[in-house]
């Protein structure tokens, strides 16, 4: 049974930092690319960052380039999202995800609120 459990969200002031963590189980974690998505209030879910199975390749949404960093630890079955210089527009529910044909798998999400 696939499980993706996010943690690390919370309330942070603009300019602050948070690190999100996703604990994965129930599948061969080290063989799949992993992604972080987010969905802000009244917005569609969007891809934030993706990392290849071996960590060699990463991709970021233009809106977070230079501020966010995705990483993974295949020994611990975890993927991380380091978020720096957070802005109010980063406020969203953040989801860990991966794709195993024929479907995507999602965690329950963790709320990130950036506000003074």
């Amino acid at each position: 049974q696939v499980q993706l459990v996010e943690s690390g969200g919370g309330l942070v002031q603009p300019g602050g930092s948070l690190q999100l963590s996703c604990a994965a189980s129930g599948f061969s974690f080290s063989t799949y690319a992993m992604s972080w998505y987010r969905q802000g209030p009244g917005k569609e879910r969007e891809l934030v960052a993706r990392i290849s199975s071996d960590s060699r390749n990463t991709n970021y949404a233009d809106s977070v380039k230079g501020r966010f960093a995705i990483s993974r630890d295949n020994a611990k079955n975890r993927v991380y999202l380091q978020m720096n210089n957070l802005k109010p527009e980063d406020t969203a529910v953040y989801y860990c995800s991966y794709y195993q044909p024929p479907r995507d798998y999602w965690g329950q999400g963790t709320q990130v609120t950036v506000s003074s």
Side-chain angles (χ1 to χ4, degrees):
Q1 180 183 357
V2 172
Q3 280 196 314
L4 298 170
V5 180
E6 301 94 337
S7 61
L11 173 63
V12 63
Q13 292 187 343
S17 297
L18 282 175
Q19 186 184 60
L20 306 184
S21 178
C22 173
S25 61
F27 65 103
S28 184
F29 178 80
S30 64
T31 65
Y32 289 95
M34 296 296 298
S35 301
W36 285 97
Y37 284 77
R38 68 184 181 186
Q39 187 165 17
K43 298 180 181 180
E44 294 187 353
R45 193 171 295 191
E46 62 173 350
L47 176 66
V48 176
R50 177 172 288 135
I51 186 167
S52 62
S53 59
D54 60 4
S55 300
R56 289 186 177 183
N57 295 298
T58 57
N59 303 97
Y60 296 92
D62 287 343
S63 58
V64 306
K65 281 181 181 177
R67 299 188 298 122
F68 290 13
I70 189 171
S71 62
R72 66 190 294 161
D73 185 336
N74 285 347
K76 295 182 178 179
N77 283 10
R78 284 186 177 264
V79 59
Y80 305 96
L81 186 68
Q82 177 65 43
M83 306 186 294
N84 299 323
N85 191 21
L86 283 159
K87 303 176 180 181
E89 52 263 42
D90 295 318
T91 295
V93 179
Y94 284 72
Y95 299 91
C96 176
S97 177
Y98 87 106
Y99 176 71
Q100 180 177 359
R103 56 165 287 191
D104 292 295
Y105 290 84
W106 302 91
Q108 83 289 348
T110 186
Q111 175 71 47
V112 172
T113 302
V114 185
S115 175
S116 55

